Amino acid sequence: MTDEADRIDERVELALDLLANLERETLPLPDVVDRIETVTTDPTLVRRILDEAELRGLVDREDGRIRVRRGSYISFESEVVAREGDFDCRRCGATISTGHFVKFETDELGPFGSSCVRTVLGRE
């Protein structure tokens, strides 16, 4: 496998971890795509992630909505790390001085601002 293929596979796994840990039971498809786009904005890869999530039984798709089938939630106390520095939020692009990073089994995702990390995880 090439380095690029490995990086793509890692992004797919990271996005699948994110979907498996969403705190909302159902979300409109555009909201799910918004979360996936924190990992990749490549439309082909977004589609692959959605297809793989369904194949693995992580989500069900119906009428433009995604229902999360597995529900282990991220603990803000132990799985979200805040770091001081100069960052751009991975979701909204805002300049932030405190970046919030979500630790998954496969990798870490971030930085996010304080409200965007809650949105990405489905808490808002």
Side-chain angles (χ1 to χ4, degrees):
M1 217 182 246
T2 67
D3 287 341
E4 179 62 23
D6 288 341
R7 282 191 292 278
I8 289 171
D9 288 344
E10 289 169 3
R11 287 188 299 194
V12 169
E13 291 304 318
L14 182 58
L16 292 173
D17 274 348
L18 175 60
L19 292 179
N21 287 282
L22 291 177
E23 293 193 25
R24 297 257 173 114
E25 185 175 318
T26 63
L27 287 167
L29 181 58
D31 290 356
V32 174
V33 170
D34 177 64
R35 281 135 176 101
I36 293 170
E37 286 179 340
T38 64
V39 177
T40 181
T41 57
D42 178 335
T44 303
L45 198 50
V46 169
R47 175 73 179 192
R48 178 177 163 194
I49 290 163
L50 286 168
D51 290 344
E52 188 65 27
E54 193 168 28
L55 283 172
R56 292 188 190 186
L58 300 175
V59 300
D60 288 320
R61 290 191 266 185
E62 185 176 323
D63 297 327
R65 295 195 64 80
I66 301 293
R67 183 173 63 87
V68 178
R69 297 180 70 196
R70 244 178 67 190
S72 61
Y73 303 127
I74 295 297
S75 166
F76 266 75
E77 293 76 32
S78 63
E79 296 168 305
V80 176
V81 178
R83 296 187 187 119
E84 298 301 316
D86 293 321
F87 303 106
D88 293 325
C89 178
R90 191 166 180 112
R91 180 172 176 268
C92 72
T95 300
I96 51 178
S97 59
T98 302
H100 295 81
F101 297 81
V102 184
K103 297 187 303 184
F104 292 106
E105 286 183 30
T106 54
D107 203 353
E108 188 175 85
L109 183 60
F112 299 105
S114 59
S115 61
C116 282
V117 73
R118 299 181 71 74
T119 298
V120 167
L121 295 175
R123 291 202 175 179
E124 292 182 356

